[in-house]
Amino acid sequence: MPFLSAALDRVKPSATIAVTDKARRLKAEGRNVIGLGAGEPDFDTPANIKLAAVHAVEAGKTKYTAVDGIPELKQAIIAKFQRDNELTYQPNQIIVGTGGKQVLYNALMATINPGDEVVIPAPYWVSYPEMVALAGGEPVPVICTAEFGFKLQPEALERAITPKTKWIILNSPSNPTGAAYTRAELKALTDVLVKHPHVWIMTDDMYEHLIYDEFEFTTPAQVEPKLFDRTLTVNGVSKAYCMTGWRIGYAGGPAQLIKAMATIQSQSTSNPSSISQWAAVEALNGPQGFIKANNKVFKQRRDIVVAMLNQASGIDCPRPEGAFYVYPSCAGAIGKTTPSGKKLETDEDFVSELLEAEGVAVVQGSAFGLGPAFRISYATKTADLEEACKRIQRFCGSLR
Ligand SMILES: Cc1ncc(COP(=O)(O)O)c(C=O)c1O
């Protein structure tokens, strides 16, 4: 449609939202559907955090705030970065946005010129390449296979960097694979980046707290302080604090970059919700014990899902370190035929036939840049997960 902007030709709608919508539609038609597509915890926001929001409303903290966040939240973020990541920021090096998504988007909008390249390890979170393209840049996906735990290898990073590279986006633990870099693995990557001073590092640490089996989380600027002045460390309260709907994300980075991001925010959305900001202060400063309790449940679910999927014919499911996703390969099912006579040529076929035949909604790996595979979010009731895995086993067993 000529009325719409050319920029729109550069972006695709989110595949994860599309799957969730389709599952919702089938449910509305009366089908028994288990949705494993959405990336949000099924746990409720902890009561103390909800109460902080109620108090904020009652105290009249319902007006515009500073565009880049209230001073109290900036202080809570500064304390969090110090406590968890050994990173020291000043208030002018911190920005709060409407979700981690807006923070990432503003950073790209504030820095990308036409033709600038952004290195993105694949499988990637669906929004990275789309945001880069919308900002006028060139996403440069680098395939990271299951053989290497879906992790970027230093040689592959070295090969991907060109004079036009502006950013590399790192995401650990990862959406969609759950893979997380050890300190040594991260150091091998930062050693490469130290040699390329024109490349900046955008690290998306959204799943920092969702790690299992005593895994130790680290972030690039912590592992290699030489990169501090060209690293944007992005985080948020959505996942670990079960606050996806509250829309609070934040970042620490060089003051000039933060200021540029705030300028964009000031002319688009202004401050994130004042009430949500006060809730986020409580999230970061308040008791953290529930995260461990939630992680115990997530770990149990991960182990159930990995074990059950590996019993499904043609499926190979690695056991990831963190987040609440698994990323099994369905290569063994490709080329086979369903009882209804449909030949599965791609992972998209696999996902769509699975939804039709068994009412299980997952997202095809090709949407995340590496297939044939699919992503399961296990942030869903354990009983539903077990039932979904049984159905996947039955579906795979029915293929000929
Ligand atoms: C890797 C990753 N980064 C960022 C986000 C965005 O988080 P928020 O809800 O805070 O915008 C998500 C949410 O799905 C995510 O998976």
Side-chain angles (χ1 to χ4, degrees), residues 29 64 66 69 310 336 397:
E29 288 167 11
Y64 291 132
N310 279 324
K336 294 190 174 170

Side-chain angles (χ1 to χ4, degrees), residues 85-159:
N85 313 116
E86 303 169 285
L87 297 175
T88 307
Y89 290 109
Q90 304 305 318
N92 67 350
Q93 296 174 305
I94 299 289
I95 186 165
V96 184
T98 300
K101 204 170 204 168
Q102 189 190 24
V103 173
L104 293 160
Y105 181 75
N106 286 350
L108 292 166
M109 291 304 280
T111 54
I112 296 291
N113 290 313
D116 283 348
E117 294 175 356
V118 178
V119 174
I120 305 175
Y124 43 70
W125 183 44
V126 287
S127 296
Y128 300 142
E130 305 302 325
M131 286 182 183
V132 169
L134 201 54
E138 300 289 332
V140 178
V142 180
I143 298 291
C144 306
T145 58
E147 185 193 348
F148 295 106
F150 301 114
K151 294 177 201 175
L152 180 62
Q153 300 302 296
E155 311 75 43
L157 171 59
E158 186 77 66
R159 278 196 302 273

Side-chain angles (χ1 to χ4, degrees), residues 19-20 22-37 349-363 376 380 383-396 398:
V19 167
T20 311
K22 183 163 179 195
R24 198 175 291 131
R25 205 165 55 240
L26 287 176
K27 247 184 205 166
E29 288 167 11
R31 290 278 307 274
N32 175 337
V33 172
I34 304 177
L36 305 180
D349 290 345
F350 179 91
V351 161
S352 132
E353 291 303 311
L354 174 65
L355 183 54
E356 284 299 326
E358 292 286 356
V360 176
V362 300
V363 187
I376 283 185
T380 295
D384 285 353
L385 278 171
E386 286 174 336
E387 172 60 21
C389 289
K390 269 189 213 152
R391 294 186 192 182
I392 293 172
Q393 288 176 351
R394 192 162 59 208
F395 176 71
C396 290
S398 76

Side-chain angles (χ1 to χ4, degrees), residues 230-246:
R230 51 185 167 106
T231 298
L232 184 72
T233 303
V234 181
N235 211 316
V237 295
S238 295
K239 312 287 176 171
Y241 298 91
C242 312
M243 293 177 70
T244 45
W246 299 74

Side-chain angles (χ1 to χ4, degrees), residues 202-236:
M202 192 177 294
T203 177
D204 180 347
D205 298 351
M206 197 55 73
Y207 295 91
E208 164 178 15
H209 293 299
L210 303 182
I211 44 174
Y212 316 113
D213 309 317
E214 313 299 316
F215 187 88
E216 187 210 349
F217 173 86
T218 50
T219 190
Q222 171 188 23
V223 168
E224 181 46 86
K226 285 190 204 130
L227 296 178
F228 182 79
D229 290 337
R230 51 185 167 106
T231 298
L232 184 72
T233 303
V234 181
N235 211 316

